[in-house]
Amino acid sequence: MSYNHYDRLTALDSAFLGIEDGNAHMHIGAVALFDVGPLAAGKGGIDFERIVEGVGAAIHQSDRFKQKLAYVPGSNWPVWIDDASFNLRYHVRHTCLPAPGDERLLKRLAGRIMSEELDRGKPLWELWFVEGVEDGRFAVISKIHHAMADGVSGADLLSVLMGPDPEHSPERAGGWEARPAPTPQRLVVDELTRLARIPFSLMGVGWRAFTRPVELLSTAREEIAHLGETLEQVMSPASETEFNQVIGPHRRFDWTRLEIAEIREVKKQLGGTLNDVVLTVLTGVIRDHFITRGLSLQDLDFRVMVPVNIRSLEEQGALGNRLSMLVVPLPLDEVDPCRRHDRVCQATLEAKASSQKAVGEVLAEIADITGSGVLTRLVQIGLQSRVANLVATNVPGPPVAVYLFGAKLREIYPVVPLGANQTLGVALFSYDGTLHWGFHADWDQLPDLHEIVELVNREFAELQAVADRRPRVVSAS
């Protein structure tokens, strides 16, 4: 009997497949800008053959990049199997900007690439190498399905492709042969076997309850209370805004950046964390945007969903999703920037102290055990009922400069996907002393995205000015 192999997706990974449709594409990504350096080729191009060889060596270290989806008959649960027809050059692509190759053209190209769904019949990732960027640069536009990776695991992949040594290069890949795919019968038998183990797990819980009834009853009451709090939040939607309209299939992408040292200085003056400063700036941006459109901020319940990494040290570098979500209300009605920051700090502290993170972990674990689509359905309900108005995620990156086959990375702007009825997503990535902001938006619903992006630097400058006049406080890290 020939050996065959597959990996079962977790409930959370599967949920990102389940909520995707023709308009809401569930891939994450980034736009990275590089000096051409040693990758320069004739007539201003890049050495694409060297790049393909290097990427091939890098992905050889993870089977997931050469695997595609299959499904368990009956339950339709997704699994990863080796792609016997894997073709590296389908996933590593080469294109060029027309002259003058300015950032406006690159942003348009990024939006168009992010508008296209990944082919589910193939491994769910693409790398677009873009030459002809002004000032002697080239760009890499990356796409990877959220079912494969979250922002943190995606950032971990940078260490495979890039490193702080300009001479860094992945080890040359050896031969690779796809392992035989499991038969439908094998998938069904394995799934039935897994389901058969569930009662025994429940029996274990029952025995623990018998031997430690008071402790287990207390824990159960606590978890039920936590779940009730979370469901109450789901049933109480945030206010409807222009960021919560039906989206189409087309995307815009824009970006800006701030210096981390300057953000830290504001944090020292005002207290809280670096993320609190970021959320305060974002609050001011959205506030100003709404005011210029004549929208009333009175009684506006505006919430941002913040993904939280829950990886253990042993899980660092692993693909897939290990995250929970915090929902934080933003005080758009606050006029004074300092008081706005204080209220943001209080809101994030309350969110961290709440049951949100724990309930998310518990629901994911239950869904993993039962194999049901309950988590997918809960995510869909959350999107439809406006649990939050937008997603804002902040992913830590390398604190020092890194190189791609000798080419120095200058800037990198992350992309967070848009869920149904979410017209804007904000992702941040820290790299080499700079915080890079990526704004991903629906093409039709937010034609003025650039105006929102331009407000970031203005709002931060205003926060800096008031922070300089405030006595320094002891702040969190």
Side-chain angles (χ1 to χ4, degrees):
M1 179 177 178
S2 62
Y3 170 75
N4 51 61
H5 174 85
Y6 72 93
D7 293 317
R8 189 175 184 272
L9 273 72
T10 67
L12 186 53
D13 293 345
S14 177
F16 283 112
L17 294 172
I19 65 175
E20 186 172 52
D21 59 33
N23 290 335
H25 317 307
M26 288 293 113
H27 46 255
I28 61 176
V31 178
L33 286 158
F34 295 84
D35 293 335
V36 174
L39 292 179
K43 298 181 179 179
I46 56 177
D47 188 347
F48 187 64
E49 292 306 313
R50 180 181 173 188
I51 289 169
V52 171
E53 181 180 349
V55 173
I59 68 167
H60 187 67
Q61 300 180 41
S62 175
D63 288 335
R64 187 70 75 244
F65 288 91
K66 292 167 283 188
Q67 292 180 320
K68 63 180 182 179
L69 292 170
Y71 295 88
V72 178
S75 72
N76 211 35
W77 194 271
V79 298
W80 297 111
I81 64 171
D82 290 356
D83 181 9
S85 301
F86 176 74
N87 183 339
L88 179 63
R89 290 179 183 270
Y90 176 85
H91 300 274
V92 183
R93 305 182 177 188
H94 188 194
T95 190
C96 180
L97 291 181
D102 56 31
E103 288 191 355
R104 181 184 63 86
L105 292 173
L106 181 59
K107 291 172 182 177
R108 285 292 178 93
L109 176 62
R112 189 169 77 245
I113 289 174
M114 293 302 164
S115 299
E116 299 168 356
E117 290 184 83
L118 288 162
D119 185 345
R120 289 206 182 182
K122 297 179 174 64
L124 298 177
W125 64 276
E126 295 172 2
L127 288 176
W128 291 73
F129 286 81
V130 186
E131 63 181 46
V133 182
E134 63 181 350
D135 299 328
R137 298 175 295 171
F138 72 95
V140 180
I141 302 175
S142 59
K143 289 171 61 176
I144 181 170
H145 201 285
H146 222 322
M148 279 183 66
D150 57 23
V152 172
S153 59
D156 287 339
L157 296 175
L158 284 174
S159 63
V160 178
L161 275 173
M162 294 181 269
D165 181 0
E167 303 301 321
H168 170 81
S169 182
E171 295 182 9
R172 185 179 297 273
W176 180 78
E177 185 175 347
R179 293 162 291 191
T183 63
Q185 293 84 353
R186 161 75 185 277
L187 291 173
V188 170
V189 169
D190 286 355
E191 183 67 3
L192 291 175
T193 302
R194 189 192 65 79
L195 292 173
R197 295 194 185 104
I198 294 177
F200 294 97
S201 299
L202 297 177
M203 287 174 61
V205 173
W207 175 252
R208 291 195 298 274
F210 178 76
T211 57
R212 294 180 293 162
V214 176
E215 179 182 340
L216 266 295
L217 183 60
S218 175
T219 301
R221 285 174 175 168
E222 187 175 315
E223 295 297 340
I224 290 171
H226 289 173
L227 181 59
E229 291 175 13
T230 302
L231 291 178
E232 182 180 357
Q233 188 175 52
V234 171
M235 299 305 292
S236 176
S239 299
E240 183 176 358
T241 72
E242 65 176 289
F243 297 152
N244 309 109
Q245 306 298 318
V246 176
I247 64 173
H250 306 120
R251 299 290 176 264
R252 297 178 186 272
F253 188 62
D254 208 334
W255 60 67
T256 190
R257 57 188 178 272
L258 295 173
E259 295 305 311
I260 293 177
E262 295 182 5
I263 300 175
R264 286 177 175 156
E265 188 59 32
V266 171
K267 177 180 77 73
K268 289 178 183 177
Q269 295 293 123
L270 298 182
T273 67
L274 186 144
N275 281 339
D276 290 332
V277 176
V278 167
L279 286 179
T280 301
V281 172
L282 185 60
T283 302
V285 167
I286 297 167
R287 170 185 165 82
D288 285 356
H289 177 71
F290 285 172
I291 288 175
T292 59
R293 274 143 191 78
L295 302 178
S296 173
L297 302 180
Q298 187 176 2
D299 300 323
L300 186 65
D301 181 7
F302 190 95
R303 308 173 197 161
V304 60
M305 182 175 289
V306 182
V308 178
N309 177 33
I310 57 173
R311 276 179 170 75
S312 65
L313 289 176
E314 293 75 17
E315 294 171 322
Q316 298 302 317
L319 286 173
N321 291 271
R322 287 290 290 143
L323 52 83
S324 189
M325 301 288 179
L326 294 181
V327 177
V328 180
L330 299 185
L332 301 187
D333 60 329
E334 183 58 67
V335 177
D336 181 78
C338 280
R339 288 198 296 269
R340 194 182 304 149
H341 178 76
D342 291 341
R343 289 176 62 182
V344 166
C345 291
Q346 183 62 32
T348 56
L349 282 174
E350 291 175 358
K352 291 173 184 176
S354 73
S355 60
Q356 296 180 45
K357 179 172 172 285
V359 168
E361 293 182 58
V362 169
L363 288 175
E365 290 174 5
I366 292 174
D368 280 336
I369 293 173
T370 62
S372 69
V374 62
L375 192 61
T376 300
R377 186 57 188 147
L378 284 174
V379 174
Q380 290 171 331
I381 292 172
L383 290 170
Q384 294 166 0
S385 63
R386 292 194 312 279
V387 171
N389 299 96
L390 62 81
V391 174
T393 179
N394 191 353
V395 178
V400 297
V402 295
Y403 299 81
L404 175 70
F405 316 135
K408 185 176 182 179
L409 174 63
R410 290 293 182 181
E411 304 165 33
I412 177 168
Y413 301 98
V415 180
V416 64
L418 302 182
N421 304 321
Q422 289 187 325
T423 65
L424 175 66
V426 182
L428 301 98
F429 190 84
S430 58
Y431 165 65
D432 193 22
T434 302
L435 187 62
H436 297 80
W437 299 58
F439 291 78
H440 192 207
D442 180 79
W443 178 272
D444 297 305
Q445 295 290 355
L446 283 182
D448 51 358
L449 176 64
H450 62 284
E451 295 180 9
I452 297 175
V453 175
E454 289 171 354
L455 288 171
V456 171
N457 294 82
R458 193 182 85 182
E459 283 298 320
F460 181 67
E462 182 178 352
L463 192 62
Q464 274 184 308
V466 296
D468 288 341
R469 298 192 297 268
R470 192 181 202 187
R472 180 173 295 194
V473 299
V474 178
S475 63
S477 59

